[in-house]
């Protein structure tokens, strides 16, 4: 008997809850389909303030048609974007804020909407291995915002975003070139690394890029047929000097010095072991220029 009463109470409670939920749902749907602007406006903010952002967004969206051209228009459209932003639907929120800025460039909400649009674009970017079109879009919008709002309180945050996104692009370019090196396609690797610096001389991986340019040219020369080695070791020597000239204290210097001495030995300019070359480097540099001119003449 007790068990039957317990089951009955559970079923009754479940039924009451279902009725309540149905009633709430019906009330919300009725409000959503209503043309009562004041009631819908108040309810939208109630849902927003209580953290029910998805429902708030739907109400603000339906209000946007009813308040179009009124003094509530910019407020409704701004909070429509804010509701989607708080709901973490950044794609829709970015569209909301972009439209808002187009329609209400002088609204009191405009600067904040511009920053929130930036934040949506930033959050929608992908890690460096994936498509970077969203990153380029974000960089363009952030850069424009910083130019137009140099005194904005958001300026430092935008600056950090911009630095991070540019570093991501630098890493993608670097890793793509490094893939050729790992595949032992040293000629293609050197070209890819040089193209990075041609397109972006300030790449954050500049030291590593110069290192791999030199190392790729050395390995390419080392693996070449004998008739091509002189010309290609001379290319390495150029790359070596470029690297050392910029990075005299690099952790890669010792390795580069070893490859430099080996290249000189291969060119017949050095027969020692690993001792300092001293004045021989000056003699070699003069001979190197002479050989380069000779190689250029032969190619012609």
């Amino acid at each position: 008997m007790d068990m039957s009463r317990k089951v009955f109470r559970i079923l009754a409670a479940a039924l009451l809850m279902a009725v309540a939920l149905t009633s709430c749902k019906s009330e919300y749907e009725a409000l959503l389909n209503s043309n009562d602007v004041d009631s819908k406006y108040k309810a939208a903010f109630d849902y927003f303030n209580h953290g029910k952002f998805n429902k708030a967004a739907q109400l603000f969206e339906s209000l946007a048609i009813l308040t179009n051209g009124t003094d509530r228009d910019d407020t409704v459209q701004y909070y429509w974007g804010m509701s989607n932003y708080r709901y973490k639907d950044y794609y829709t929120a970015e569209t909301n804020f972009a439209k808002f800025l187009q329609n209400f460039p002088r609204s009191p909400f405009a600067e904040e909407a511009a920053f929130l649009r930036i934040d949506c674009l930033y959050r929608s970017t992908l890690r460096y291995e994936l498509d970077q079109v969203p990153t380029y879009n974000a960089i363009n919008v952030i850069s424009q915002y910083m130019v137009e709002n140099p005194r904005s309180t958001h300026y430092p945050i935008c600056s950090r975003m911009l630095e991070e996104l540019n570093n991501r692009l630098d890493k993608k370019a670097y890793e793509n070139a490094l893939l050729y090196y790992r595949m032992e396609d040293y000629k293609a690797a050197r070209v890819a690394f040089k193209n990075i610096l041609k397109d972006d001389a300030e790449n954050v991986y500049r030291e590593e890029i110069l290192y791999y340019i030199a190392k790729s040219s050395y390995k390419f020369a080392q693996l070449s047929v004998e008739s091509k080695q002189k010309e290609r070791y001379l290319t390495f020597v150029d790359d070596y000097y470029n690297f050392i000239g910029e990075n005299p204290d690099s952790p890669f210097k010792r390795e580069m010095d070893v490859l430099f001495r080996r290249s000189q030995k291969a060119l017949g300019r050095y027969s020692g072991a690993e001792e300092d070359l001293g004045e021989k480097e000056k003699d070699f540099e003069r001979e190197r220029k002479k050989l380069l001119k000779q190689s250029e003449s032969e190619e012609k």
Side-chain angles (χ1 to χ4, degrees):
M1 188 70 174
D2 290 339
M3 180 62 71
S4 298
R5 287 178 180 176
K6 188 174 181 180
V7 171
F8 177 77
R9 287 174 182 172
I10 292 172
L11 290 173
L15 181 61
L16 287 172
M17 185 177 292
V19 170
L21 288 172
T22 302
S23 175
C24 289
K25 184 178 179 182
S26 298
E27 182 182 342
Y28 174 76
E29 287 183 346
L31 188 62
L32 190 62
N33 295 320
S34 169
N35 289 326
D36 185 342
V37 175
D38 290 336
S39 297
K40 187 176 287 192
Y41 188 83
K42 180 180 181 301
F45 275 102
D46 284 343
Y47 279 116
F48 182 87
N49 292 329
H50 285 86
K52 297 179 180 180
F53 302 118
N54 189 35
K55 287 188 174 182
Q58 293 180 64
L59 286 172
F60 282 121
E61 181 180 4
S62 65
L63 270 169
I65 299 171
L66 300 174
T67 58
N68 184 35
T70 71
D71 57 358
R72 290 178 173 178
D73 199 359
D74 66 328
T75 301
V76 167
Q77 292 209 30
Y78 174 73
Y79 277 94
W80 178 13
M82 277 293 292
S83 298
N84 283 316
Y85 177 82
R86 294 285 181 83
Y87 189 61
K88 299 183 179 180
D89 182 356
Y90 299 119
Y91 179 82
T92 305
E94 190 276 324
T95 302
N96 291 145
F97 290 129
K99 182 180 178 182
F100 175 88
L101 292 167
Q102 184 179 358
N103 294 336
F104 309 103
R106 297 186 180 182
S107 167
F109 300 116
E111 185 180 339
E112 190 65 17
F115 172 72
L116 291 171
R117 182 194 175 202
I118 282 171
D119 197 44
C120 290
L121 289 169
Y122 171 77
R123 291 172 184 271
S124 300
T125 59
L126 308 172
R127 63 181 189 270
Y128 81 88
E129 302 98 325
L130 303 176
D131 180 22
Q132 292 305 299
V133 168
T135 302
Y136 285 109
N137 290 339
I139 286 173
N140 289 336
V141 175
I142 293 170
S143 300
Q144 183 179 351
Y145 177 87
M146 293 174 72
V147 169
E148 294 175 353
N149 302 277
R151 294 186 178 87
S152 170
T153 55
H154 299 304
Y155 194 95
I157 299 173
C158 290
S159 183
R160 289 196 293 272
M161 286 180 180
L162 198 58
E163 181 179 6
E164 181 188 331
L165 295 177
N166 278 313
N167 288 350
R168 190 180 303 172
L169 294 179
D170 285 356
K171 185 174 178 63
K172 184 175 183 67
Y174 171 70
E175 291 291 341
N176 285 347
L178 191 58
L179 185 61
Y180 288 109
Y181 183 87
R182 289 171 175 157
M183 293 169 61
E184 300 182 1
D185 187 347
Y186 301 117
K187 182 178 181 180
R190 183 177 183 274
V191 171
F193 282 119
K194 285 184 74 67
N195 283 339
I196 293 174
L197 298 184
K198 183 179 178 181
D199 295 336
D200 177 20
E202 303 302 319
N203 189 291
V204 292
Y205 296 94
R206 184 177 176 87
E207 181 178 343
E208 289 84 353
I209 289 168
L210 289 171
Y211 163 75
Y212 277 110
I213 287 172
K215 199 165 180 183
S216 295
S217 60
Y218 178 84
K219 286 183 172 290
F220 185 52
Q222 188 181 37
L223 296 171
S224 297
V225 295
E226 187 175 350
S227 62
K228 296 285 188 180
Q229 283 188 330
K230 179 191 292 185
E231 173 189 348
R232 291 170 183 175
Y233 274 122
L234 288 172
T235 299
F236 161 74
V237 172
D238 273 346
D239 293 340
Y240 166 83
Y241 281 129
N242 287 336
F243 175 80
I244 295 300
E246 283 194 26
N247 307 282
D249 301 316
S250 170
F252 301 123
K253 183 179 182 301
R254 188 171 182 178
E255 180 185 357
M256 285 289 100
D257 287 343
V258 170
L259 298 184
F260 177 71
R261 288 191 283 269
R262 289 176 182 170
S263 70
Q264 291 195 101
K265 185 175 180 181
L267 289 165
R269 301 302 304 168
Y270 173 56
S271 59
E274 298 295 335
E275 70 272 11
D276 184 17
L277 296 173
E279 290 297 316
K280 290 184 179 180
E281 288 190 7
K282 295 179 182 178
D283 294 335
F284 174 77
E285 178 61 12
R286 286 191 288 268
E287 183 64 18
R288 184 182 69 86
K289 290 179 179 178
K290 181 180 176 181
L291 289 169
L292 273 175
K293 287 181 181 179
Q294 184 180 337
S295 295
E296 290 172 0
S297 298
E298 290 174 357
E299 286 180 2
K300 292 178 182 178

